[in-house]
Protein backbone atom coordinates (compact mmCIF):
# COMPACT_ATOMS: atom_id res chain seq x y z
CA UNK A 1 0.00 0.00 0.00
CA UNK A 2 1.18 3.51 -0.83
CA UNK A 3 2.00 6.04 1.87
CA UNK A 4 -0.62 8.66 2.73
CA UNK A 5 1.58 11.35 1.20
CA UNK A 6 1.82 9.36 -2.07
CA UNK A 7 -1.93 8.72 -2.08
CA UNK A 8 -2.75 12.40 -1.54
CA UNK A 9 -0.32 13.60 -4.21
CA UNK A 10 -1.64 11.00 -6.65
CA UNK A 11 -5.23 12.16 -6.06
CA UNK A 12 -4.25 15.81 -6.51
CA UNK A 13 -2.42 14.90 -9.73
CA UNK A 14 -5.63 13.38 -11.09
CA UNK A 15 -7.68 16.55 -10.51
CA UNK A 16 -7.84 18.55 -13.77
CA UNK A 17 -5.28 21.36 -13.41
CA UNK A 18 -7.92 24.03 -14.06
CA UNK A 19 -9.90 22.97 -10.97
CA UNK A 20 -7.06 22.35 -8.51
CA UNK A 21 -6.57 24.13 -5.22
CA UNK A 22 -4.03 26.92 -5.88
CA UNK A 23 -1.68 29.04 -3.74
CA UNK A 24 -3.97 32.06 -4.25
CA UNK A 25 -6.86 30.01 -2.80
CA UNK A 26 -4.82 29.29 0.33
CA UNK A 27 -3.98 33.02 0.51
CA UNK A 28 -7.68 34.01 0.23
CA UNK A 29 -8.59 31.58 3.03
CA UNK A 30 -5.83 32.94 5.27
CA UNK A 31 -6.87 36.53 4.57
CA UNK A 32 -10.48 35.82 5.59
CA UNK A 33 -9.66 33.38 8.35
CA UNK A 34 -11.79 35.12 11.00
CA UNK A 35 -14.93 35.06 8.85
CA UNK A 36 -14.44 31.36 8.06
CA UNK A 37 -13.68 30.43 11.67
CA UNK A 38 -16.90 32.18 12.74
CA UNK A 39 -19.07 29.56 10.99
CA UNK A 40 -17.83 26.79 13.28
CA UNK A 41 -20.88 26.65 15.64
CA UNK A 42 -23.40 26.52 12.73
CA UNK A 43 -21.21 24.09 10.84
CA UNK A 44 -20.86 21.61 13.68
CA UNK A 45 -24.52 21.78 14.75
CA UNK A 46 -25.86 21.46 11.19
CA UNK A 47 -23.43 18.66 10.34
CA UNK A 48 -24.35 16.41 13.26
CA UNK A 49 -28.06 17.34 13.38
CA UNK A 50 -28.15 16.09 9.78
CA UNK A 51 -26.22 12.88 10.46
CA UNK A 52 -28.13 12.02 13.64
CA UNK A 53 -31.52 12.64 11.96
CA UNK A 54 -30.78 9.95 9.37
CA UNK A 55 -30.84 6.32 10.64
CA UNK A 56 -28.00 4.91 8.45
CA UNK A 57 -25.56 7.69 9.45
CA UNK A 58 -26.81 7.81 13.07
CA UNK A 59 -26.08 4.09 13.28
CA UNK A 60 -22.52 4.58 12.03
CA UNK A 61 -21.90 7.25 14.65
CA UNK A 62 -23.47 5.69 17.75
CA UNK A 63 -25.59 7.56 20.32
CA UNK A 64 -22.85 8.41 22.80
CA UNK A 65 -20.32 9.55 20.22
CA UNK A 66 -21.63 13.02 19.36
CA UNK A 67 -19.35 15.07 21.70
CA UNK A 68 -16.16 13.42 20.46
CA UNK A 69 -17.24 13.59 16.82
CA UNK A 70 -18.05 17.30 17.22
CA UNK A 71 -14.60 17.83 18.68
CA UNK A 72 -13.01 16.03 15.71
CA UNK A 73 -14.88 18.18 13.18
CA UNK A 74 -14.09 21.41 15.08
CA UNK A 75 -10.42 20.41 15.09
CA UNK A 76 -10.56 19.65 11.38
CA UNK A 77 -12.23 22.97 10.52
CA UNK A 78 -9.76 25.01 12.62
CA UNK A 79 -6.76 23.16 11.16
CA UNK A 80 -8.19 23.64 7.66
CA UNK A 81 -8.81 27.36 8.01
CA UNK A 82 -5.66 28.12 10.01
CA UNK A 83 -3.52 26.09 7.61
CA UNK A 84 -1.00 25.38 6.46
CA UNK A 85 -2.78 23.56 3.61
CA UNK A 86 0.36 21.65 2.77
CA UNK A 87 1.29 18.06 1.89
CA UNK A 88 0.94 16.97 5.53
CA UNK A 89 -2.62 18.31 5.63
CA UNK A 90 -3.60 16.52 2.43
CA UNK A 91 -1.87 13.30 3.59
CA UNK A 92 -4.05 13.52 6.72
CA UNK A 93 -7.13 13.71 4.47
CA UNK A 94 -5.96 10.51 2.71
CA UNK A 95 -5.78 8.89 6.15
CA UNK A 96 -9.35 10.04 6.90
CA UNK A 97 -10.37 7.83 3.95
CA UNK A 98 -8.96 4.82 5.82
CA UNK A 99 -10.59 5.87 9.10
CA UNK A 100 -13.90 6.04 7.27
CA UNK A 101 -13.44 2.56 5.76
CA UNK A 102 -13.05 0.97 9.16
CA UNK A 103 -16.04 2.92 10.55
CA UNK A 104 -18.28 2.10 7.56
CA UNK A 105 -18.65 5.74 6.54
CA UNK A 106 -19.45 5.29 2.85
CA UNK A 107 -18.85 7.90 0.17
CA UNK A 108 -22.59 8.66 -0.31
CA UNK A 109 -22.62 9.57 3.40
CA UNK A 110 -19.43 11.63 3.17
CA UNK A 111 -19.68 13.57 -0.12
CA UNK A 112 -22.97 15.41 0.59
CA UNK A 113 -21.48 16.47 3.94
CA UNK A 114 -18.48 18.01 2.18
CA UNK A 115 -21.03 19.89 0.07
CA UNK A 116 -22.75 20.94 3.32
CA UNK A 117 -19.44 22.40 4.59
CA UNK A 118 -18.94 24.21 1.29
CA UNK A 119 -22.46 25.65 1.15
CA UNK A 120 -22.44 26.70 4.83
CA UNK A 121 -19.20 28.60 4.24
CA UNK A 122 -20.31 30.16 0.96
CA UNK A 123 -23.65 31.32 2.47
CA UNK A 124 -21.70 33.09 5.22
CA UNK A 125 -19.37 34.71 2.66
CA UNK A 126 -22.31 35.97 0.57
CA UNK A 127 -23.99 37.37 3.70
CA UNK A 128 -20.83 39.24 4.73
CA UNK A 129 -19.95 42.82 3.88
CA UNK A 130 -17.04 41.75 1.65
CA UNK A 131 -16.63 43.46 -1.74
CA UNK A 132 -18.16 41.24 -4.48
CA UNK A 133 -14.84 40.42 -6.20
CA UNK A 134 -13.17 39.32 -2.96
CA UNK A 135 -16.29 37.30 -2.05
CA UNK A 136 -16.24 35.54 -5.45
CA UNK A 137 -12.54 34.66 -5.02
CA UNK A 138 -13.12 33.31 -1.53
CA UNK A 139 -16.13 31.23 -2.62
CA UNK A 140 -14.02 29.75 -5.42
CA UNK A 141 -11.20 29.01 -2.95
CA UNK A 142 -13.55 27.21 -0.54
CA UNK A 143 -15.12 25.21 -3.37
CA UNK A 144 -11.73 24.16 -4.75
CA UNK A 145 -10.57 23.19 -1.27
CA UNK A 146 -13.70 21.15 -0.53
CA UNK A 147 -13.45 19.40 -3.91
CA UNK A 148 -9.81 18.55 -3.19
CA UNK A 149 -10.57 17.26 0.31
CA UNK A 150 -13.44 15.15 -1.04
CA UNK A 151 -11.27 13.79 -3.86
CA UNK A 152 -8.47 12.79 -1.52
CA UNK A 153 -10.72 11.21 1.14
CA UNK A 154 -12.58 9.16 -1.49
CA UNK A 155 -9.36 8.23 -3.30
CA UNK A 156 -7.74 7.17 -0.02
CA UNK A 157 -10.88 5.17 0.77
CA UNK A 158 -10.90 3.37 -2.60
CA UNK A 159 -7.17 2.73 -2.59
CA UNK A 160 -7.34 1.23 0.90
CA UNK A 161 -10.17 -1.14 -0.08
CA UNK A 162 -8.44 -2.23 -3.29
CA UNK A 163 -5.08 -2.66 -1.60
CA UNK A 164 -6.68 -4.73 1.20
CA UNK A 165 -8.35 -6.99 -1.38
CA UNK A 166 -5.07 -7.49 -3.27
CA UNK A 167 -3.30 -8.32 -0.10
CA UNK A 168 -6.01 -10.75 1.12
CA UNK A 169 -6.19 -12.46 -2.30
CA UNK A 170 -2.40 -12.76 -2.35
CA UNK A 171 -2.32 -12.32 -6.15
CA UNK A 172 -0.21 -9.94 -8.21
CA UNK A 173 -1.95 -6.58 -8.58
CA UNK A 174 -1.83 -6.64 -12.40
CA UNK A 175 -3.58 -10.02 -12.58
CA UNK A 176 -6.25 -8.99 -10.06
CA UNK A 177 -6.87 -5.76 -11.94
CA UNK A 178 -7.43 -7.70 -15.18
CA UNK A 179 -9.81 -10.11 -13.41
CA UNK A 180 -11.64 -7.15 -11.88
CA UNK A 181 -12.04 -5.50 -15.28
CA UNK A 182 -13.39 -8.74 -16.81
CA UNK A 183 -15.95 -9.07 -14.00
CA UNK A 184 -17.01 -5.44 -14.30
CA UNK A 185 -17.27 -5.75 -18.12
CA UNK A 186 -19.72 -8.60 -17.64
CA UNK A 187 -21.68 -6.63 -14.98
CA UNK A 188 -21.74 -3.66 -17.35
CA UNK A 189 -23.29 -5.76 -20.12
CA UNK A 190 -26.02 -6.90 -17.67
CA UNK A 191 -26.59 -3.31 -16.55
CA UNK A 192 -27.06 -2.14 -20.13
CA UNK A 193 -29.71 -4.84 -20.58
CA UNK A 194 -31.38 -3.85 -17.27
CA UNK A 195 -31.55 -0.21 -18.46
CA UNK A 196 -32.70 -1.13 -21.95
CA UNK A 197 -29.56 0.35 -23.53
CA UNK A 198 -27.96 -1.01 -26.66
CA UNK A 199 -24.92 -3.28 -26.19
CA UNK A 200 -21.62 -1.74 -27.30
C1 LIG B 1 -16.88 16.81 5.38
C2 LIG B 1 -16.83 15.49 5.49
C3 LIG B 1 -15.95 14.83 6.52
C4 LIG B 1 -14.72 15.20 6.95
C5 LIG B 1 -13.86 16.35 6.46
C6 LIG B 1 -14.34 14.26 7.98
C7 LIG B 1 -13.16 14.34 8.68
C8 LIG B 1 -12.78 13.44 9.65
C9 LIG B 1 -11.56 13.52 10.42
C10 LIG B 1 -10.54 14.65 10.29
C11 LIG B 1 -11.53 12.46 11.24
C12 LIG B 1 -10.44 12.14 12.26
C13 LIG B 1 -9.29 11.45 11.63
C14 LIG B 1 -8.15 11.28 12.62
O1 LIG B 1 -8.22 10.35 13.45
O2 LIG B 1 -7.21 12.08 12.55
C15 LIG B 1 -12.73 11.70 11.01
C16 LIG B 1 -13.08 10.56 11.67
C17 LIG B 1 -14.32 10.01 11.64
N1 LIG B 1 -15.39 10.41 10.87
FE1 LIG B 1 -15.32 11.79 9.41
N2 LIG B 1 -15.33 13.34 8.14
C18 LIG B 1 -16.35 13.67 7.28
C19 LIG B 1 -17.55 13.02 7.14
C20 LIG B 1 -17.99 12.05 7.99
C21 LIG B 1 -19.32 11.48 7.97
C22 LIG B 1 -20.41 11.87 6.98
C23 LIG B 1 -19.36 10.56 8.97
C24 LIG B 1 -20.49 9.63 9.40
C25 LIG B 1 -21.53 9.30 8.68
C26 LIG B 1 -18.07 10.55 9.61
C27 LIG B 1 -17.72 9.75 10.66
C28 LIG B 1 -16.47 9.65 11.20
C29 LIG B 1 -16.10 8.68 12.19
C30 LIG B 1 -17.02 7.64 12.81
C31 LIG B 1 -14.74 8.89 12.46
C32 LIG B 1 -13.83 8.02 13.31
C33 LIG B 1 -13.65 8.35 14.67
C34 LIG B 1 -12.70 7.36 15.29
O3 LIG B 1 -13.07 6.17 15.34
O4 LIG B 1 -11.63 7.79 15.69
N3 LIG B 1 -17.27 11.45 8.99
N4 LIG B 1 -13.47 12.31 10.03
Amino acid sequence: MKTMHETALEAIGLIPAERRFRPQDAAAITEHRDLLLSIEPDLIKGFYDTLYAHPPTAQVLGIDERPSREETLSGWWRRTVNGPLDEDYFAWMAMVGLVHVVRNVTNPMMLPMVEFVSSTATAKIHASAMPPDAAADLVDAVRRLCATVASIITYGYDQAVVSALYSVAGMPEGLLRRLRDQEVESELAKSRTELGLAAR
Side-chain angles (χ1 to χ4, degrees), residues 43 47-48 51 56-62 65 68-69 72-73 75-77 80 89 92-93 95-97 99-100 102-118 146 149-150 153:
L43 183 70
F47 197 93
Y48 288 104
L51 294 181
T57 43
Q59 199 182 4
V60 161
L61 291 169
E65 209 181 338
S68 54
R69 291 285 53 78
T72 301
L73 198 71
W76 170 74
W77 183 242
T80 300
Y89 172 83
W92 180 38
M93 291 305 98
M95 195 208 79
V96 170
V99 172
H100 285 176
V102 296
R103 288 298 305 265
N104 289 318
V105 181
T106 57
N107 289 329
M109 296 174 176
M110 206 277 300
L111 288 171
M113 297 317 291
V114 179
E115 164 53 26
F116 173 80
V117 173
S118 177
C146 285
V149 165
I153 295 178

Side-chain angles (χ1 to χ4, degrees), residues 20-192:
R20 277 192 207 146
F21 185 69
R22 307 158 302 177
Q24 63 263 44
D25 300 316
I29 288 170
T30 303
E31 191 183 340
H32 301 288
R33 175 188 292 167
D34 291 344
L35 175 73
L36 293 173
L37 288 174
S38 74
I39 74 165
E40 186 184 317
D42 289 345
L43 183 70
I44 305 303
K45 185 173 184 317
F47 197 93
Y48 288 104
D49 281 356
T50 303
L51 294 181
Y52 276 100
H54 181 56
T57 43
Q59 199 182 4
V60 161
L61 291 169
I63 320 164
D64 302 330
E65 209 181 338
R66 184 159 180 161
S68 54
R69 291 285 53 78
E70 290 193 349
E71 216 171 287
T72 301
L73 198 71
S74 291
W76 170 74
W77 183 242
R78 286 180 206 164
R79 169 69 179 81
T80 300
V81 174
N82 286 321
L85 295 168
D86 54 7
E87 276 188 28
D88 287 346
Y89 172 83
F90 292 118
W92 180 38
M93 291 305 98
M95 195 208 79
V96 170
L98 274 60
V99 172
H100 285 176
V101 170
V102 296
R103 288 298 305 265
N104 289 318
V105 181
T106 57
N107 289 329
M109 296 174 176
M110 206 277 300
L111 288 171
M113 297 317 291
V114 179
E115 164 53 26
F116 173 80
V117 173
S118 177
S119 55
T120 305
T122 54
K124 184 81 175 181
I125 296 164
H126 286 309
S128 76
M130 281 173 72
D133 283 358
D137 287 347
L138 185 56
V139 164
D140 193 30
V142 168
R143 289 203 175 128
R144 284 172 185 266
L145 176 63
C146 285
T148 303
V149 165
S151 303
I152 297 173
I153 295 178
T154 52
Y155 194 69
Y157 184 105
D158 288 343
Q159 294 286 305
V161 170
V162 166
S163 162
L165 291 178
Y166 288 154
S167 147
V168 168
M171 272 192 227
E173 258 191 57
L175 173 60
L176 261 176
R177 204 171 295 126
R178 281 196 298 282
L179 292 172
R180 175 200 68 185
D181 289 350
Q182 276 172 22
E183 282 296 308
V184 176
E185 282 291 347
S186 119
E187 288 304 320
L188 184 56
K190 283 190 221 154
S191 309
R192 286 190 190 285

